[in-house]
Amino acid sequence: IDLVLSYGGMIGKFAGDALTILFPYDDGSRADAIQRAIQCALDMQANMQRYAAIETQVGTFGLAMKAGLALGSVFCTTVGD
């Protein structure tokens, strides 16, 4: 999460072992937001080596990461109080 925040991203949603990260932009900063999003994903993948072998009570497991990029408008709202 700290890495995401350092690139100007914000966590939009956690869903199980996945998360959606948003990089807000306006017309003048779109290219910068794209570059920050891609670099953030590359840095996250580079840090995955720390999770290649996780010891648990039932064995050793590794984690992997995939990233996707989409561009466009997002409607955000808060429901409730």
Side-chain angles (χ1 to χ4, degrees):
I1 293 172
D2 290 338
L3 181 65
V4 169
L5 297 176
S6 76
Y7 279 101
M10 58 186 192
I11 307 299
K13 181 179 180 179
F14 283 100
D17 63 351
L19 60 144
T20 300
I21 302 170
L22 305 171
F23 289 87
Y25 68 89
D26 57 28
D27 290 337
S29 65
R30 183 173 85 168
D32 177 63
I34 293 168
Q35 185 176 18
R36 288 184 290 112
I38 292 170
Q39 190 60 57
C40 182
L42 291 171
D43 286 356
M44 289 173 73
Q45 284 181 322
N47 285 315
M48 289 304 294
Q49 65 187 353
R50 295 190 288 184
Y51 308 104
I54 301 171
E55 300 288 334
T56 72
Q57 293 177 340
V58 294
T60 303
F61 298 92
L63 298 178
M65 185 194 129
K66 296 178 183 175
L69 177 66
L71 180 68
S73 299
V74 175
F75 177 72
C76 294
T77 186
T78 301
V79 178
D81 53 358

